[in-house]
Amino acid sequence: GESGVGSSGSPDDSLLETSLTETGTRVGTPAYMSPEQLAGRTVDARCDQFSFCVTAWEVLFGVRPYAGARLDGLLAAFRAEGLKRPADIEIPERVEAALRRGLSVRPGARFADMASLLEVLETELRILRKEQVRPASWRGWKVLGAVVLVSLGVFAVAKVREARRIAACETEGAAIGQLWDDDVRRTSLAALRSTPKGALVHDEDRLSPWLDAYVEELADAHVQACRHRSVEQDWDAELSEKAAWCLEERRDELEQEIGSYADGDPALSVVDRALAMSPVRPCLDSRALERLELPPPGSRAEVKSFKGELSASARLGDEALEERLTLVRDLKARASSVDWAPLQTELRRAEGGVLVDLGRATEGVAVLEKVWFESAESSRWEAAASIAAYLASIATLDNPDAEVARRWLALATVCLRQSYDPAGRLELRLVESQLSYETTFGDVKKAEKIARELLDGRRRIYGDAHVQVAAAQSWLAAVLSGQGRLEEAIALGNALLKLNSKPSARTASV
């Protein structure tokens, strides 16, 4: 029968060149996919036929026809002459020949359709049932043949459907990767360098690895959520809907951030903005998803639009605070008709923050306190913890009052205990507020302990060579200097100089 492998130089050889883009990645159900399906080419009935025959071969011979535990091994198997087959197992020649034809790497060499393949197999089954004369060596196979061929269809169709669902999930993840591919990365960094403040060498050294890691994590999260929904089917409709909304928000945030790089002079550090993007991990955490509040279905487009405008206003930076305040208040007025509390919280928190940055701390704190009480009363503890930590920082730095700062730190701690913070960022935000308080008002020994806790936490989240870790090292150096431990502080300062003189390593997943 046919070997199932196209001859060298055939038009279909290009399938093998493009089908396996991630050499070394492990193969699971994709091992049942045809070369053209792995390549993302047009999928038709001949693709189903290939998957069917992979399953049939595995059932009859106990091995897959194209061996390979990884994609590079599978690629080599596609190119090899012949299919993997134990020598001690015998099946009818017509059955093996039909399966070999259906397993051809070249789609055009397979049967015209699944019906033609099944007709060959069913004919062989009828021969067995009529007990026509067959060699004695087929007797053992004949006993099992009827059962195998009858059950094969159900098993193979299930595998084909599963493979298609997984392929659809992987396509969904691949679409995220396209938001920050090589072309986008190159264009974005060129645009950042060309701005009036474009001496962003150190920033872009840290920006690319961070966004690379974030995009990879977001793409994988789309694949995993899709698999929960359509492959494993272990998430109910509500959980799937919440995950979809969570991931949609992350994608919108990413698109807006990347899109802003071509808009002109970045008023804020692009690295700081990238680091401030919402963590992906909660979108796959069932406990976090259960706590997630979904906007009313009819308001979701409006919510996305308002959040996009809010993000755009934040990118104006501190040089346009009056303009930002006008924009945020206009947004707040227009969004008042949307019945979704998290949006109102986000808008009013933004208003309070801009007021504080403008030096109007009394007005800003009044707005933020009101938002905190509403969040706490509604048991939205993550928002309440974040706002309380911010208010503690204001009472420490912008409008120093040790008693007020201590009270807000205590409230933030209580709110954090009621929260669920799988990414760990909210806890570190509170740790930094505590460090700021102790450095300003408190015990230097306690400040050192908290500074080391902040440094360890940021290393855990961001990796060793990252600007956020550098900032934590600066905190610790300042604390040590305040204790008179100048040699240790200088050693940290020298480490910071080395860190800032080289690109960062790949960042850890958030």
Side-chain angles (χ1 to χ4, degrees):
E2 296 185 38
S3 68
V5 181
S7 61
S8 177
S10 74
D12 293 285
D13 283 348
S14 62
L15 285 174
L16 300 182
E17 298 299 331
T18 60
S19 62
L20 302 171
T21 57
E22 293 293 336
T23 301
T25 302
R26 296 197 65 80
V27 178
T29 305
Y32 295 91
M33 297 180 189
S34 65
E36 65 269 24
Q37 187 175 6
L38 284 169
R41 305 289 181 89
T42 302
V43 174
D44 57 21
R46 292 175 301 180
C47 177
D48 290 345
Q49 184 184 143
F50 183 94
S51 300
F52 180 97
C53 289
V54 171
T55 306
W57 193 276
E58 186 176 7
V59 169
L60 296 174
F61 288 111
V63 296
R64 290 175 184 160
Y66 295 108
R70 295 181 179 272
L71 289 179
D72 50 357
L74 187 55
L75 175 57
F78 280 152
R79 287 178 170 149
E81 292 295 329
L83 302 173
K84 187 174 181 180
R85 177 201 195 290
D88 59 343
I89 295 180
E90 297 180 285
I91 66 170
E93 291 180 5
R94 281 171 50 84
V95 171
E96 183 170 348
L99 295 180
R100 285 181 175 274
R101 182 174 175 183
L103 288 167
S104 175
V105 170
R106 295 171 292 140
R110 300 173 200 152
F111 288 92
D113 49 41
M114 185 72 102
S116 301
L117 168 62
L118 291 177
E119 183 178 354
V120 173
L121 298 178
E122 288 171 357
T123 297
E124 188 62 28
L125 180 58
R126 283 195 296 272
I127 291 173
L128 288 170
R129 283 176 174 167
K130 292 177 181 178
E131 294 188 349
Q132 294 184 9
V133 177
R134 309 291 289 167
S137 59
W138 299 134
R139 291 191 183 279
W141 188 89
K142 182 171 67 175
V143 173
L144 297 175
V147 175
V148 169
L149 289 176
V150 168
S151 62
L152 191 56
V154 175
F155 181 59
V157 168
K159 286 290 185 184
V160 168
R161 288 176 178 172
E162 182 183 20
R164 278 205 167 175
R165 287 194 293 265
I166 290 175
C169 291
E170 291 175 346
T171 299
E172 190 175 318
I176 301 299
Q178 293 172 2
L179 299 177
W180 183 247
D181 59 18
D182 290 341
D183 290 338
V184 175
R185 183 187 298 103
R186 184 167 51 250
T187 302
S188 297
L189 295 182
L192 290 173
R193 285 193 296 269
S194 70
T195 62
K197 294 183 180 178
L200 296 168
V201 176
H202 293 305
D203 270 3
E204 70 183 45
D205 285 342
R206 287 161 176 78
L207 177 67
S208 288
W210 176 258
L211 282 183
D212 288 348
Y214 189 89
V215 170
E216 181 180 341
E217 184 180 15
L218 184 58
D220 182 66
H222 273 80
V223 174
Q224 296 305 317
C226 177
R227 288 185 62 123
H228 281 299
R229 181 179 67 249
S230 63
V231 181
E232 287 85 6
Q233 298 181 5
D234 55 350
W235 279 3
D236 59 24
E238 182 181 7
L239 207 61
S240 295
E241 184 183 13
K242 287 184 173 184
W245 171 257
C246 181
L247 291 171
E248 193 174 343
E249 283 195 303
R250 303 304 188 267
R251 176 175 180 153
D252 288 345
E253 195 174 353
L254 175 65
E255 284 187 288
Q256 290 158 12
E257 177 59 25
I258 293 172
S260 74
Y261 298 156
D263 290 345
D265 187 7
L268 294 173
S269 164
V270 291
V271 174
D272 288 345
R273 291 209 313 257
L275 287 169
M277 289 193 299
S278 304
V280 174
R281 189 182 306 170
C283 297
L284 292 177
D285 190 299
S286 57
R287 183 178 167 191
L289 290 173
E290 287 169 359
R291 299 166 71 97
L292 181 66
E293 296 178 70
L294 283 176
S299 301
R300 290 178 190 175
E302 273 188 294
V303 167
K304 289 179 63 175
S305 176
F306 286 132
K307 287 170 76 72
E309 289 185 64
L310 182 60
S311 295
S313 72
R315 286 193 293 271
L316 293 174
D318 291 342
E319 297 175 0
L321 288 172
E322 291 287 357
E323 183 182 354
R324 284 175 59 191
L325 181 61
T326 300
L327 289 172
V328 169
R329 284 179 166 172
D330 175 66
L331 274 172
K332 190 176 71 167
R334 289 189 285 121
S336 60
S337 60
V338 177
D339 184 22
W340 192 51
L343 177 63
Q344 313 305 330
T345 296
E346 195 170 348
L347 290 170
R348 282 182 290 167
R349 179 177 177 177
E351 179 187 14
V354 175
L355 285 168
V356 171
D357 291 340
L358 277 168
R360 297 158 62 177
T362 301
E363 291 178 74
V365 166
V367 171
L368 291 166
E369 286 181 346
K370 185 177 180 182
V371 177
W372 180 84
F373 278 106
E374 291 175 355
S375 298
E377 287 172 1
S378 303
S379 298
R380 287 187 281 111
W381 297 113
E382 288 79 11
S386 178
I387 294 167
Y390 182 34
L391 284 165
S393 296
I394 294 170
T396 300
L397 301 172
D398 296 278
N399 196 16
D401 187 321
E403 182 59 33
V404 172
R406 187 161 51 247
R407 183 169 66 248
W408 281 116
L409 283 173
L411 289 171
T413 302
V414 170
C415 293
L416 183 63
R417 288 173 181 166
Q418 302 298 320
S419 304
Y420 183 55
D421 181 32
R425 286 189 176 187
L426 184 54
E427 180 181 1
L428 285 183
R429 192 176 305 164
L430 177 56
V431 169
E432 187 169 22
S433 294
Q434 291 169 332
L435 175 58
S436 180
Y437 173 86
E438 294 297 340
T439 302
T440 305
F441 303 116
D443 185 325
V444 290
K445 288 293 184 183
K446 190 172 183 181
E448 180 187 347
K449 179 182 177 183
I450 297 173
R452 294 189 184 280
E453 182 183 344
L454 179 66
L455 179 57
D456 290 344
R458 285 188 174 172
R459 279 177 170 157
R460 184 180 67 252
I461 290 181
Y462 302 122
D464 286 330
H466 200 276
V467 66
Q468 285 288 330
V469 175
Q473 286 178 307
S474 295
W475 269 110
L476 180 57
V479 170
L480 293 174
S481 178
Q483 295 178 17
R485 295 158 65 181
L486 298 183
E487 289 187 8
E488 294 175 74
I490 290 171
L492 271 174
N494 290 334
L496 282 170
L497 288 175
K498 291 180 181 179
L499 175 62
N500 287 329
S501 67
K502 64 182 180 179
S504 66
R506 187 174 185 82
T507 55
S509 174
V510 178

